[in-house]
Amino acid sequence: MKVIVVGGGPGGYTAAIRAAQKGYDTVLVEMGALGGTCLNRGCIPSKIFRRSADIAEDLKKMDVFGFDKTQIPVFSMASLQARKQGVVRTQQQGIKGLLDANKISLVQGEACLAGP
């Protein structure tokens, strides 16, 4: 029996893994990047940006922690974006590794249901 899972977000890839573990020939269809909105545009990027904002707040009182306020660090949005992309890419590769380890076929494309 074949199982087709539509969407490679947190619910989709875990459902595909579970189906494969149960012995089903499993295919995962994803039109975008693995990980869905949470990994690519939502939860994970937001947490990365939030952590940088928290550090920026701590830097306002760096002298309290013994740091010289005359040596103000310089913020780089490009560096923050690169960090975010690195974390997202690592997580995407981890999901792909789980799919491969469970012998799940990945189809890059759009899926639609032909009937009820």
Side-chain angles (χ1 to χ4, degrees):
M1 182 178 197
K2 185 173 285 248
V3 171
I4 299 173
V5 178
V6 179
Y13 76 79
T14 54
I17 290 168
R18 189 70 180 134
Q21 290 171 340
K22 291 286 189 178
Y24 295 103
D25 181 15
T26 307
V27 175
L28 176 67
V29 180
E30 172 57 57
M31 68 179 183
L34 284 173
T37 298
C38 179
L39 174 58
N40 295 288
R41 295 177 304 283
C43 310
I44 303 304
S46 295
K47 288 177 182 179
I48 292 167
F49 295 148
R50 175 58 196 249
R51 178 68 179 123
S52 290
D54 289 343
I55 291 170
E57 279 299 308
D58 286 344
L59 288 172
K60 289 179 181 177
K61 53 187 181 241
M62 63 192 286
D63 58 326
V64 175
F65 296 102
F67 291 93
D68 182 357
K69 268 194 149 175
T70 62
Q71 302 290 323
I72 303 298
V74 177
F75 175 77
S76 167
M77 180 57 93
S79 294
L80 178 56
Q81 289 288 350
R83 172 170 157 61
K84 188 248 326 169
Q85 281 307 111
V87 170
V88 168
R89 191 176 317 106
T90 298
Q91 294 293 316
Q92 289 169 340
Q93 290 167 348
I95 294 167
K96 180 68 169 97
L98 289 170
L99 298 179
D100 291 345
N102 286 280
K103 298 178 176 61
I104 298 166
S105 299
L106 175 62
V107 174
Q108 288 292 149
E110 194 169 328
C112 66
L113 301 176

